[in-house]
Amino acid sequence: MSDTAEITGPLTRRRRTTVAGNGKQANGGGRWHEAGDKPPQRAAKGGKKMEQMSKQTGYNGKPDRDADTKGMHQHHQQKQQQQQQLSDGTKHEKRAVEDINEKLSCHTLQESLLSSASGYNNYRGILNWCVVMLVLSNARLFLENIIKYGILVDPIQVVSLFLKDPYSWPAACLIIASNVFILLALYIERRLAVGTFSETAGRVLHIFNLTAILVFPSTTILTVTSITPVGGVLSLGIYTVLFLKLFSYQDTNRWNREVRLAKAKRLTRSHSCPSVAQSNGSAVHSIVSYPGNLTHRDMYYFAFAPTLCYQLNFPRSPRIRKRFLIRRLFEMLFLMQLLVGLIQQWMVPTVQNSMKPFKEMDFSRMVERLLKLAVPNHLIWLVFFYWFFHSTLNFVAELLQFGDREFYRDWWNSETVTYFWANWNIPVHKWCLRHFYKPMLKRGVNKFWAQAAVFLVSAFFHEYLVSVPLKMFRLWAFMGMMAQVPLAWFVGRYLNGSTETLLSGSHSSLVSQSRC
């Protein structure tokens, strides 16, 4: 190493010393080496010390990197420990300050949980409590009914009602007579397909056929006194479904003729519902094109299919699941008996006891009777919904291998009246949207009037199915259905926080998903 310069100052003076390599001093080491004599013992001791220092510093006086790294690591650990101690002390001080602040103030700016501004929405406990209260109250009513009236459920009574004098079933004969209108619609469409009838003549014939479907059964029920209200409701329900189906049938075939004329396609003959060919357990169905769909097989498949909207090629399931079919059949039989039992045990006695207040126009007793009827009415409605829309329609769809099983949506999550009416009965909803609401909009009708027209048609059929079988024309069902229009507006405007249209807003999701 080079000699260091002597540094002098006003207070201190550092002497110049030099440490040579291999533990030798620079100034005196040369003389002992040249004379061959041994250096003094002190120099030897100093040499050993210097050797030890050289081992620590490294070869040729360079610092030992491992030693420096260890030292730096130890220094870093010490620094971290000091910082940890400082942070622990700071945390302890903060905790002490927070404890003092909590003791001094315990209030913050916040909303109550039941307030809408709080943003809280977990009411599962309250919902469970409501369910418990509902079960307890209904159990009390049911027990009270049994104590008061005894056991009134009699399944044999319902069976005997149908088996009594089976050769004079006017309602059954009325249902069988509906085949005339089905075959007439098929015959008209065949004539229109080959050009025998003009479009105007075919439309007039279809209007006559559809009108007869509504007039013929209602006239028969009002004329024939032996038809019971239950038989009248069943027959009118079947004729109403047939009316909607045949309306969709003639509309869809007319659209296919328009497409055929526009594209000038060659007529092809095929079958809409061919004999099912099996391939590894899955059904293979052929594709049909107009007018190959105008067959008896296709017509009756549509008549029994769980849908109101006709199309040439329905989505088909690959096979019939026997276990699924048996489960649905068991549900149908069990729930049907449950419905009959609830009506016999709960509804009939309450209705009989309600006659006197209604005749005397005792309004307080009338309200009390209606509220008492509300509980079994809701329960029967829920059981009927599951029985018809889930068990029955799924059973028929599985039997016919009908693929579209969307018969309902989550109407139980309805926040508006329109959402409920658009999601609890999907077959009717699709029919109204496809064959009534959208065609009116295309003709330039205002949305509000188109919506009101849809509710008007629905109100007409509700009154038709209630008044004719009971032979009572009070317009209660009609007015109740039309009252949904202002109710839907009020709920959407003031209770939901936003104005929603009666049909278009709730139907937009369906239109975006698929085009019927």
Side-chain angles (χ1 to χ4, degrees):
M1 294 177 62
S2 62
D3 296 337
T4 59
E6 184 176 355
I7 302 173
T8 62
L11 298 177
T12 61
R13 175 176 296 179
R14 185 177 297 175
R15 296 185 63 180
R16 182 177 59 189
T17 58
T18 304
V19 180
N22 298 326
K24 296 180 180 180
Q25 294 181 351
N27 292 336
R31 289 182 303 168
W32 297 108
H33 182 69
E34 289 176 357
D37 297 333
K38 296 181 179 179
Q41 191 66 25
R42 292 181 180 177
K45 292 181 179 179
K48 291 181 180 180
K49 292 181 180 180
M50 297 307 295
E51 285 179 0
Q52 293 177 0
M53 292 176 61
S54 65
K55 289 180 181 180
Q56 292 179 359
T57 56
Y59 181 71
N60 291 332
K62 294 181 180 179
D64 190 355
R65 295 180 181 177
D66 294 338
D68 289 344
T69 304
K70 291 179 181 179
M72 291 175 65
H73 183 64
Q74 292 176 356
H75 178 68
H76 183 65
Q77 287 181 347
Q78 293 176 358
K79 205 169 186 180
Q80 283 183 345
Q81 291 177 358
Q82 293 176 358
Q83 290 179 354
Q84 183 68 25
Q85 293 175 357
L86 290 174
S87 63
D88 292 341
T90 305
K91 288 180 180 179
H92 181 72
E93 291 177 358
K94 286 183 178 180
R95 288 175 183 173
V97 172
E98 288 177 357
D99 292 340
I100 294 174
N101 290 334
E102 288 181 359
K103 293 177 180 179
L104 294 176
S105 62
C106 61
H107 297 285
T108 58
L109 183 63
Q110 56 186 342
E111 297 286 345
S112 299
L113 289 183
L114 297 179
S115 176
S116 59
S118 66
Y120 183 80
N121 57 2
N122 186 8
Y123 301 105
R124 182 180 296 274
I126 297 178
L127 179 62
N128 295 336
W129 174 70
C130 292
V131 171
V132 171
M133 294 299 297
L134 182 65
V135 172
L136 291 176
S137 60
N138 287 336
R140 185 196 66 81
L141 290 175
F142 190 74
L143 182 60
E144 179 186 356
N145 180 274
I146 293 177
I147 295 173
K148 187 175 182 180
Y149 301 107
I151 303 296
L152 301 178
V153 179
D154 186 9
I156 307 299
Q157 181 183 2
V158 179
V159 177
S160 63
L161 205 70
F162 286 96
L163 295 180
K164 183 180 178 181
D165 196 8
Y167 295 101
S168 60
W169 286 354
C173 296
L174 196 60
I175 294 173
I176 295 173
S178 63
N179 289 278
V180 176
F181 304 100
I182 296 175
L183 296 175
L184 182 59
L186 177 61
Y187 175 78
I188 295 172
E189 285 300 325
R190 282 184 171 181
R191 296 301 96 195
L192 288 171
V194 297
T196 304
F197 293 159
S198 63
E199 287 293 332
T200 304
R203 182 164 297 186
V204 171
L205 291 173
H206 274 304
I207 292 174
F208 174 80
N209 187 35
L210 293 173
T211 305
I213 290 176
L214 297 180
V215 173
F216 172 72
S218 58
T219 304
T220 305
I221 290 173
L222 293 174
T223 304
V224 180
T225 57
S226 59
I227 297 181
T228 62
V230 177
V233 169
L234 291 175
S235 58
L236 282 185
I238 291 174
Y239 271 88
T240 301
V241 170
L242 185 60
F243 172 86
L244 300 177
K245 283 177 175 286
L246 294 184
F247 191 98
S248 177
Y249 186 74
Q250 62 89 22
D251 249 3
T252 306
N253 283 300
R254 176 167 54 83
W255 295 337
N256 279 285
R257 285 194 299 273
E258 292 174 357
V259 172
R260 183 183 61 171
L261 293 175
K263 296 184 178 181
K265 287 186 176 180
R266 182 173 61 88
L267 295 178
T268 58
R269 292 285 177 178
S270 62
H271 295 284
S272 177
C273 301
S275 57
V276 178
Q278 299 293 333
S279 176
N280 295 328
S282 62
V284 179
H285 304 281
S286 62
I287 303 300
V288 66
S289 58
Y290 184 83
N293 61 307
L294 302 177
T295 62
H296 290 87
R297 179 186 290 269
D298 178 87
M299 186 66 181
Y300 277 98
Y301 179 85
F302 173 58
F304 286 98
T307 180
L308 300 177
C309 295
Y310 177 74
Q311 67 184 51
L312 270 65
N313 298 284
F314 291 106
R316 307 292 294 275
S317 55
R319 62 184 180 86
I320 297 177
R321 297 170 291 179
K322 295 180 180 179
R323 292 183 179 179
F324 181 86
L325 201 67
I326 293 173
R327 284 199 300 269
R328 299 289 84 81
L329 179 61
F330 175 78
E331 289 176 356
M332 288 170 59
L333 298 176
F334 173 76
L335 294 176
M336 173 58 73
Q337 186 57 52
L338 180 61
L339 282 171
V340 173
L342 288 173
I343 292 172
Q344 289 177 334
Q345 184 68 42
W346 212 336
M347 291 290 288
V348 173
T350 308
V351 171
Q352 290 175 350
N353 293 335
S354 302
M355 294 300 176
K356 185 178 179 180
F358 275 91
K359 287 180 180 179
E360 297 176 355
M361 297 302 291
D362 187 354
F363 290 101
S364 59
R365 293 286 295 171
M366 288 168 59
V367 173
E368 188 268 336
R369 291 289 96 185
L370 290 176
L371 291 177
K372 192 172 183 179
L373 281 171
V375 176
N377 182 56
H378 277 80
L379 184 60
I380 290 171
W381 188 88
L382 289 173
V383 174
F384 170 79
F385 170 82
Y386 190 89
W387 170 78
F388 183 74
F389 285 96
H390 185 75
S391 301
T392 304
L393 293 185
N394 269 294
F395 176 82
V396 176
E398 190 69 23
L399 197 62
L400 298 177
Q401 295 180 255
F402 187 80
D404 188 2
R405 308 293 175 89
E406 191 185 36
F407 306 121
Y408 55 88
R409 291 193 190 135
D410 59 334
W411 55 266
W412 47 86
N413 293 326
S414 301
E415 296 182 356
T416 61
V417 177
T418 57
Y419 189 87
F420 169 79
W421 287 111
N423 290 276
W424 89 278
N425 191 343
I426 295 300
V428 173
H429 169 66
K430 284 183 178 180
W431 187 93
C432 292
L433 183 68
R434 184 191 190 199
H435 297 286
F436 201 81
Y437 182 73
K438 291 176 68 176
M440 291 186 71
L441 292 181
K442 289 181 180 179
R443 293 189 181 97
V445 180
N446 183 271
K447 280 188 176 182
F448 175 78
W449 293 111
Q451 295 158 6
V454 171
F455 275 90
L456 182 64
V457 171
S458 179
F460 166 77
F461 280 109
H462 278 77
E463 187 67 31
Y464 178 78
L465 292 172
V466 173
S467 297
V468 175
L470 296 178
K471 300 178 183 179
M472 288 177 20
F473 299 95
R474 299 289 191 272
L475 297 180
W476 290 341
F478 182 86
M479 294 173 63
M481 194 63 198
M482 289 304 298
Q484 301 297 312
V485 178
L487 178 63
W489 177 84
F490 178 80
V491 172
R493 182 70 174 85
Y494 295 104
L495 300 183
N496 191 45
S498 61
T499 304
E500 296 185 73
T501 57
L502 298 179
L503 284 175
S504 58
S506 57
H507 293 162
S508 58
S509 60
L510 175 63
V511 178
S512 61
Q513 289 178 4
S514 61
R515 182 182 178 185
C516 295

